[in-house]
Amino acid sequence: MEKQWYTISVYSENNVGLLNRISGIFLKRHINIESLNVSKSEIENVSKFTIVINTTEDWTRKIVNQIEKQIEVIKAFYHTDDETIYQESALFKIASHLLFDERQIQNIIKESKSQIVTVNREFFVLAKTGRRHEIDEMHEALEPYGIMQFVRSGRIAVTKAAMPISEILAEFQD
Amino acid sequence: METLKAQKKEEKKKTSMRITGAEAIIHCLLEEGVNLIYGYPGGAIMPVYDELYKFQDKLTHILTRHEQGATHAAQGFARVTGKVGVAMATSGPGATNLVTGLADAQIDSTPMVCITGQVPRHLLGSDAFQETDIVGISTPVTKWNYQITKASEIPEIMAKAFYIARSGRPGPVLIDITKNAQFDELDFAYEKCTGVRSYKPVPQPDMKAIEKAAELINKAKKPYIVFGQGVILGEAEVQLKALVEKAGIPAAWTILGLSALDTEHPMNVGMVGMHGNYGPNVLTNECDVLLAIGMRFDDRVTGSLDTYAKQAKIIHFEIDPAEVNKNVNADVAVMGNAKQTLELLLPLVNENEHKEWRAEFDKKYKIEFDTVIEKDIHPTKEGLTMGEVIEQINLASDQKAVIVTDVGQHQMITCRYAKFRQSKSNITSGGLGTMGFALPAAIGAKMGAMDREVVAVIGDGGYQMTIQELGVIFQHNVPVKIVVLNNEHLGMVRQWQELFFESRYASTVMTNPDFVKIAEGYHIKSRRVEKREDLTEAVQEMMSSKDPYFLEVRVEKEDNVFPMIPSGASVADIRLK
Ligand SMILES: Cc1ncc(C[n+]2csc(CCOP(=O)(O)OP(=O)(O)O)c2C)c(N)n1
């Protein structure tokens, strides 16, 4: 079976130990977590883990089953890129004098549709949200001028199809 | 709804009492019907031990000689009774000594609650004396775990622990309790847990899947059942038997399923897996419909998956969704508790006999009998065999004993030849293969079933891994019968070395102590058998003893267990020699 990108969405109770339990499931099978994001979800007191992996569908399904088996996990789903709307964010910290010394930088900023978050005498910070390749392209463009710091977030995603978490929670309550 | 809740809270307040966390733990155990626990004290759990002292008329604590022994004893208790076993230990080394038992209980789905003491909350993360992150360490080997740092959490978390341990597919739960939470006071009121919002222990059976299963079964010419521990855990023994009889389906078992169906039932065709019976393995690849009931297609059962039952339609009766299509893809997955699903299935299956198909198993049995079984249980060579010892135990116990095995050749031989009439009678470490399991597990099994004979069959290697538990047998006069089959080798590993490593016996030869003297040191009646003519009488003497009894049998040093599916080979390629 072919490997591809899968986004796993896990809805869970807020619990300290759960991240350890979930990451162990990947560790045990030598599957690299490409990106991980934990946040609140659309439902009060329910957390959402967004995990990106590159593997076969068979492995993804087995992993999702194992995740769902954990006591505090309400429901876990997996989706291909086509089935989700997804984004990543990145921050670039760049020396301020470059804005004036390297005119090209201003063009890069404009074309990249990034935002300037802050500017001071020493540095300015650009924030870029988009697909990974867009962020990579921007990184490539800026790199020759010198990037003081760079960081990229994990993927966040919502699915095109509905996620019936409230219904599932109601079912649990029966 | 709201008023009801408020009312409940009000009632709770009325019946609550102000006590320490340590005392609350005892009350939780009593509320859960626990009156026997195993454990070992130490600094971080001392407040609870102090309460155990005060409550000793209600709650018996057995001091095992090692925390691992406490877990296996709790497992043995759980496996014969179906109840949750409880083990307790202090922080640090006490807690880490529980890990093997937790892993064993996790892989064999044994309901167990382990309670560990922990350094006080304000010292957490400071590398305090005997601080160890047992919640982190035990995460991969527990169904659930939790650290309590406030006394007020105790009742709810303990209730949840017991609920999770015993519900659905059972498993071990570890609760770590900081020392301050043991000392501090709380308003104690207990409410049993009946559900956890994010946890669905038993999937709803789907009638469509059951109908589909019945259709396949009714059309089948060569249907075949392989059942596992799910039948025992789900208490579906009666339903399994009814299905086997009504639909005339030959049934084989995994070693954890053993004893769920009378060994001598005419449709019981024996054991599957690496050292299982010839017919049940070979015919796996000839059946047309395979009903896997409460079993998880472990690699020691299936051999190579690429050649496992490819010709058959597979119906998987399973409680745990994560097991479906994990190793073997199911044509029909019947989710739910086995008792419930089999009950729904039964009226839909037609009566049948499948005589010719059943006779195939007899033909294969004849081959196995002539090449293997006869020599194992009625040997003509000089040395004693493990098989003949088990045969004598069958005779002397009238097939009514609980038999607890350790891990190795003696385990495979026992599972092959032991006979059972009653469920929950074969206690062994299946999934983890934990040497050292049997002696403490036998103690727990006996204390859980005082009206039954409990015989531990152990190798000379594994025996020495938890031999210190003889101290418990002596101190509490636990009348277990211990049989050590002494071949002066780590037999099973030696067998592999002989077959696959050109007989290079690397570290598998053992110079053993005088086991009889050791047992005598613990004032346990003991005897050694070296000759065939003494065996029957010695086993009878052991079985009729009211007290604990130790029997060492010197067996052939270099016997092998056959049949055998070499690892990675197909079930069809099982070797008879
Ligand atoms: C704790 C542990 N360590 C190592 C093993 C690997 N192992 C499996 S069987 C076996 C030999 C067991 O020897 P013995 O207890 O004498 O039993 P026999 O096979 O001779 O019946 C060993 C070392 C194991 N299963 N468990």
Side-chain angles (χ1 to χ4, degrees):
Chain A
M1 251 196 277
E2 222 180 295
K3 284 189 180 183
Q4 60 165 316
W5 295 98
Y6 288 98
T7 302
I8 298 175
S9 310
V10 182
Y11 287 84
S12 75
E13 304 288 0
N14 296 308
N15 175 281
V16 231
L18 190 56
L19 180 58
N20 192 7
R21 263 185 196 278
I22 290 179
S23 67
I25 291 169
F26 293 88
L27 176 68
K28 202 170 157 184
R29 292 165 182 79
H30 283 253
I31 289 181
N32 194 33
I33 294 177
E34 299 286 342
S35 118
L36 165 70
N37 187 83
V38 190
S39 73
K40 66 179 191 181
S41 71
E42 60 273 24
I43 296 155
E44 207 182 338
N45 292 327
V46 171
S47 302
K48 184 172 176 177
F49 291 70
T50 306
I51 303 163
V52 181
I53 56 174
N54 189 288
T55 185
T56 62
E57 176 161 15
D58 191 41
W59 270 117
T60 307
R61 182 181 52 74
K62 285 177 189 171
I63 282 172
V64 165
N65 280 339
Q66 293 296 336
I67 292 175
E68 213 165 87
K69 188 167 152 172
Q70 306 310 314
I71 303 293
E72 281 94 359
V73 170
I74 296 161
K75 186 79 191 163
F77 302 89
Y78 69 90
H79 293 95
T80 59
D81 287 355
D82 294 343
E83 295 165 330
T84 56
I85 312 293
Y86 60 96
Q87 299 266 280
E88 290 174 5
S89 296
L91 296 174
F92 298 81
K93 176 176 163 183
I94 296 167
S96 293
H97 69 87
L98 291 175
L99 264 184
F100 310 100
D101 301 349
E102 301 283 355
R103 304 210 47 199
Q104 185 53 19
I105 285 206
Q106 302 208 7
N107 293 333
I108 296 171
I109 295 171
K110 260 184 227 144
E111 277 160 28
S112 69
K113 299 204 181 91
S114 58
Q115 286 172 306
I116 298 184
V117 185
T118 185
V119 192
N120 62 33
R121 265 174 217 281
E122 277 119 59
F123 63 84
F124 65 101
V125 174
L126 291 174
K128 163 75 187 156
T129 299
R131 294 283 177 94
R132 177 173 289 201
H133 71 92
E134 294 171 317
I135 292 169
D136 283 345
E137 279 162 20
M138 186 169 159
H139 187 274
E140 239 166 72
L142 288 170
E143 197 165 30
Y145 307 103
I147 299 170
M148 295 166 80
Q149 280 183 39
F150 170 74
V151 65
R152 181 168 59 204
S153 74
R155 174 186 287 195
I156 51 172
V158 292
T159 55
K160 292 177 185 169
M163 289 238 203
I165 298 304
S166 303
E167 284 89 324
I168 291 166
L169 275 176
E171 222 178 274
F172 276 120
Q173 241 116 31
D174 293 343
Chain B
M1 199 49 200
E2 276 306 302
T3 47
L4 222 143
K5 258 190 200 158
Q7 230 174 325
K8 253 194 181 166
K9 259 205 182 136
E10 201 43 46
E11 272 168 36
K12 213 172 165 182
K13 260 193 205 144
K14 265 187 228 150
T15 56
S16 77
M17 46 186 177
R18 191 87 189 151
I19 54 175
T20 65
E23 188 182 342
I25 289 163
I26 309 294
H27 285 293
C28 294
L29 294 172
L30 294 173
E31 290 275 357
E32 291 295 337
V34 176
N35 44 36
L36 175 65
I37 71 174
Y38 299 89
Y40 213 105
I45 192 80
M46 281 185 71
V48 178
Y49 273 82
D50 195 41
E51 295 300 329
L52 280 169
Y53 184 84
K54 297 177 197 158
F55 281 86
Q56 52 187 293
D57 56 326
K58 292 203 177 93
L59 182 56
T60 305
H61 175 277
I62 301 291
L63 174 73
T64 53
R65 279 11 180 203
H66 186 292
E67 289 86 352
Q68 182 185 350
T71 57
H72 296 329
Q75 288 180 278
F77 174 86
R79 296 265 289 264
V80 291
T81 59
K83 294 182 193 159
V84 180
V86 180
M88 190 176 279
T90 190
S91 65
T96 56
N97 277 346
L98 301 175
V99 171
T100 304
L102 287 168
D104 196 286
Q106 169 85 340
I107 202 161
D108 279 352
S109 311
T110 308
M112 173 163 76
V113 169
C114 289
I115 297 165
T116 48
Q118 181 58 280
V119 301
R121 185 185 172 121
H122 73 275
L123 290 179
L124 284 173
S126 72
D127 300 324
F129 178 65
Q130 295 194 330
E131 180 190 4
T132 203
D133 174 16
I134 195 59
V135 170
I137 291 172
S138 66
T139 291
V141 292
T142 47
K143 184 173 173 186
W144 187 64
N145 60 8
Y146 190 85
Q147 183 175 65
I148 293 177
T149 56
K150 287 195 291 264
S152 59
E153 293 178 284
I154 290 171
E156 195 186 329
I157 294 298
M158 289 292 285
K160 201 170 155 184
F162 276 86
Y163 172 72
I164 291 171
R166 74 169 160 255
S167 59
R169 180 177 181 177
V173 170
L174 180 133
I175 302 298
D176 194 33
I177 309 178
T178 56
K179 205 170 176 181
N180 60 294
Q182 301 170 38
F183 277 129
D184 289 347
E185 290 191 340
L186 72 153
D187 288 318
F188 181 85
Y190 201 77
E191 233 180 303
K192 273 211 168 185
C193 177
T194 53
V196 173
R197 168 167 103 151
S198 54
Y199 165 57
K200 209 173 196 176
V202 186
Q204 269 306 315
D206 169 9
M207 221 35 227
K208 280 213 192 80
I210 293 172
E211 281 160 13
K212 186 92 193 294
E215 199 184 309
L216 285 176
I217 295 166
N218 289 337
K219 274 201 289 204
K221 297 272 176 299
K222 299 174 172 185
Y224 178 36
I225 289 174
V226 177
F227 62 89
Q229 197 190 197
V231 173
I232 298 172
L233 294 170
E235 299 188 317
E237 294 92 343
V238 174
Q239 289 72 15
L240 172 71
K241 186 162 172 248
L243 174 66
V244 161
E245 289 173 356
K246 184 174 182 194
I249 308 176
W253 35 269
T254 69
I255 61 169
L256 289 187
L258 172 54
S259 86
L261 179 68
D262 194 329
T263 332
E264 302 214 306
H265 188 284
M267 287 311 234
N268 188 334
V269 292
M271 166 172 160
V272 291
M274 186 171 266
H275 292 289
N277 291 112
Y278 186 57
N281 277 308
V282 170
L283 295 173
T284 299
N285 279 6
E286 289 178 29
C287 66
D288 57 2
V289 174
L290 177 64
L291 290 81
I293 306 178
M295 60 83 88
R296 60 186 177 86
F297 296 107
D298 178 79
D299 56 287
R300 289 287 149 116
V301 162
T302 63
S304 155
L305 284 173
D306 299 335
T307 52
Y308 183 79
K310 289 293 176 202
Q311 79 296 340
K313 288 264 186 264
I314 297 191
I315 309 173
H316 196 173
F317 294 79
E318 179 56 63
I319 196 166
D320 178 359
E323 291 297 347
V324 175
N325 300 336
K326 186 182 88 177
N327 296 333
V328 171
N329 286 335
D331 294 281
V332 181
V334 180
M335 301 307 303
N337 161 292
K339 181 183 187 137
Q340 203 182 356
T341 52
L342 292 182
E343 227 151 51
L344 292 168
L345 174 76
L346 269 166
L348 307 183
V349 299
N350 298 337
E351 281 184 34
N352 219 321
E353 286 195 305
H354 298 295
K355 274 198 178 142
E356 266 174 51
W357 168 233
R358 174 65 186 83
E360 294 285 314
F361 288 88
D362 287 338
K363 279 186 219 154
K364 295 282 190 287
Y365 182 80
K366 173 90 176 60
I367 297 170
E368 184 181 347
F369 187 85
D370 292 344
T371 47
V372 182
I373 299 173
E374 170 94 279
K375 289 179 204 145
D376 272 355
I377 58 177
H378 302 124
T380 49
K381 64 178 177 188
E382 199 190 330
L384 284 163
T385 65
M386 293 182 175
E388 67 186 308
V389 180
I390 304 307
E391 180 69 0
Q392 289 305 320
I393 294 172
N394 286 335
L395 292 170
S397 67
D398 194 22
Q399 309 179 8
K400 286 179 184 150
V402 172
I403 301 189
V404 187
T405 43
D406 213 72
V407 175
Q409 292 183 313
H410 67 280
Q411 174 191 34
M412 292 299 119
I413 294 285
T414 306
C415 290
R416 286 174 55 76
Y417 298 120
K419 302 237 161 80
F420 299 100
R421 301 173 196 267
Q422 192 180 327
S423 184
K424 297 196 176 84
S425 296
N426 177 56
I427 315 280
T428 195
S429 167
L432 201 66
T434 306
M435 285 172 70
F437 174 83
L439 189 62
I443 294 170
K446 182 69 200 180
M447 297 180 92
M450 286 305 275
D451 55 331
R452 298 189 65 192
E453 283 295 341
V454 174
V455 184
V457 179
I458 319 180
D460 47 316
Y463 183 53
Q464 294 180 77
M465 284 202 174
T466 47
I467 193 167
Q468 71 281 355
E469 303 308 340
L470 289 175
V472 176
I473 294 171
F474 167 47
Q475 183 176 345
H476 299 278
N477 197 37
V478 188
V480 293
K481 311 296 161 63
I482 308 156
V483 180
V484 166
L485 299 178
N486 184 359
N487 54 13
E488 292 178 26
H489 284 87
L490 298 175
M492 185 57 92
V493 178
R494 189 210 56 74
Q495 172 170 348
W496 282 52
Q497 288 170 334
E498 181 185 331
L499 298 176
F500 311 117
F501 295 87
E502 295 165 332
S503 297
R504 290 185 294 274
Y505 294 162
S507 298
T508 47
V509 187
M510 270 187 302
T511 306
N512 284 326
D514 184 331
F515 289 126
V516 168
K517 274 205 180 132
I518 290 179
E520 278 169 1
Y522 285 95
H523 305 282
I524 294 169
K525 253 194 241 168
S526 49
R527 179 166 175 178
R528 176 179 300 122
V529 168
E530 285 169 286
K531 291 202 214 81
R532 181 160 297 126
E533 59 256 38
D534 300 330
L535 181 64
T536 308
E537 197 255 319
V539 171
Q540 281 167 354
E541 180 180 302
M542 170 182 80
M543 292 310 294
S544 55
S545 164
K546 296 261 172 299
D547 296 314
Y549 193 104
F550 173 82
L551 179 66
E552 175 189 354
V553 184
R554 291 291 182 94
V555 295
E556 191 75 73
K557 291 184 185 170
E558 298 190 18
D559 266 351
N560 288 335
V561 186
F562 281 108
M564 176 175 195
I565 306 168
S567 56
S570 163
V571 284
D573 297 331
I574 186 166
R575 288 169 56 174
L576 281 163
K577 50 186 160 195

